[in-house]
Amino acid sequence: MSQERMPLIGKKFPEVEVVTTHGKLKLPDYFTSKGRWFVLFSHPADFTPVCTTEFYSFSLYYPDFERLNTGLIGLSVDGNPSHISWVQWIERNLKIKVPFPIIADPLGLVARRLGMFHAQSATNTVRAVFFVDNKATIRAIIYYPLELGRNVKEILRVVKTLQLIDKTGAIAPANWPNNEIVKDDLLNPTPASMDEASLRLTQFKGYDWWFTFRETPKEDVEEAKKYAP
């Protein structure tokens, strides 16, 4: 079966009905109907060492996602009995509760629709991460190979930064909030007109009309620094 073209950044998350460890759900409505963002992440298989460390970390930082009004939902090509058994193993042996649902996708239908099968494996999903806002728009996508576990703090940093971009209208520099040039300030978008360009350096600090920055609210910086590398 061929893989469908994956949805792109800026497109709406496709409407799908899924079977999960929390029952049947409709995406993206399950989250967006409550005004929530969500992160959907795939993993290659249950009962594997890297995936187990990831699920521990996602569960550990689940309260941080909740503070950002962001839900989590996992996915693999395993069935629900496998998911349930694995979650029970994690809770019993690693002493942490997995609080979010996991999609059972044994036929790979959802995974193909989201472009989660890559050349590395025809049968296991790579470690994909979809960031979806409260309007069901895909805001970012990250892929990792099978053998590399994800940095969950970085996923939190992306969510926090995207939400701050929406709130302020600014844009974020590399490694924000620890940028080597502007520190924890945010950048201004490039001016759209001559008049706007001529005013930039009178309104903001900067190096040139196209490279200016603004101070970020302290509480946002402090929260983001908890997730920064």
Side-chain angles (χ1 to χ4, degrees):
M1 184 183 296
S2 62
Q3 177 164 289
E4 294 186 32
R5 179 180 173 87
M6 62 175 283
L8 303 177
I9 293 173
K11 295 291 187 180
K12 294 295 184 182
F13 189 89
E15 295 183 358
V16 290
E17 292 190 15
V18 293
V19 174
T20 81
T21 50
H22 290 192
K24 291 183 179 180
L25 305 177
K26 290 184 178 181
L27 296 178
D29 289 355
Y30 178 71
F31 297 103
T32 57
S33 64
K34 303 167 189 172
R36 306 191 73 201
W37 289 52
F38 70 96
V39 171
L40 186 152
F41 64 97
S42 61
H43 64 283
D46 301 343
F47 294 102
T48 54
V50 176
C51 298
T52 300
T53 62
E54 287 189 325
F55 267 67
Y56 184 96
S57 190
F58 274 117
S59 300
L60 183 67
Y61 286 101
Y62 183 77
D64 293 275
F65 285 100
E66 286 292 294
R67 279 193 288 274
L68 294 174
N69 192 35
T70 299
L72 289 174
I73 186 165
L75 177 149
S76 84
V77 293
D78 296 291
N80 236 12
S82 175
H83 287 336
I84 292 168
S85 182
W86 184 42
V87 165
Q88 290 174 339
W89 188 96
I90 291 172
E91 294 179 0
R92 184 171 62 251
N93 291 277
L94 302 181
K95 311 304 180 187
I96 194 166
K97 182 176 177 60
V98 177
F100 49 84
I102 310 170
I103 297 169
D105 191 28
L107 298 180
L109 300 178
V110 180
R112 286 187 179 88
R113 189 166 185 184
L114 296 175
M116 291 173 168
F117 291 118
H118 285 203
Q120 189 177 16
S121 172
T123 57
N124 293 105
T125 52
V126 293
R127 302 181 194 279
V129 188
F130 285 81
F131 300 80
V132 185
D133 68 19
N134 56 1
K135 297 180 178 63
T137 301
I138 297 170
R139 300 295 298 275
I141 305 170
I142 304 176
Y143 283 96
Y144 299 77
L146 305 182
E147 62 272 19
L148 176 62
R150 285 164 281 216
N151 186 321
V152 174
K153 281 190 173 183
E154 167 62 6
I155 294 171
L156 280 162
R157 188 192 74 91
V158 172
V159 173
K160 172 62 184 178
T161 308
L162 287 171
Q163 292 180 351
L164 186 59
I165 286 169
D166 285 356
K167 183 172 78 171
T168 63
I171 54 179
N175 301 324
W176 189 84
N178 296 318
N179 179 259
E180 296 82 358
I181 301 173
V182 300
K183 309 304 180 186
D184 56 21
D185 286 345
L186 290 172
L187 300 171
N188 293 303
T190 304
S193 68
M194 293 285 289
D195 288 343
E196 191 178 351
S198 66
L199 292 174
R200 272 299 167 88
L201 287 173
T202 66
Q203 297 170 322
F204 301 102
K205 299 176 290 183
Y207 292 94
D208 210 329
W209 60 267
W210 53 270
F211 190 176
T212 60
F213 44 95
R214 66 176 79 174
E215 187 174 351
T216 312
K218 184 178 179 180
E219 62 273 15
D220 290 312
V221 172
E222 289 177 350
E223 184 173 29
K225 282 185 178 292
K226 294 189 299 183
Y227 314 134

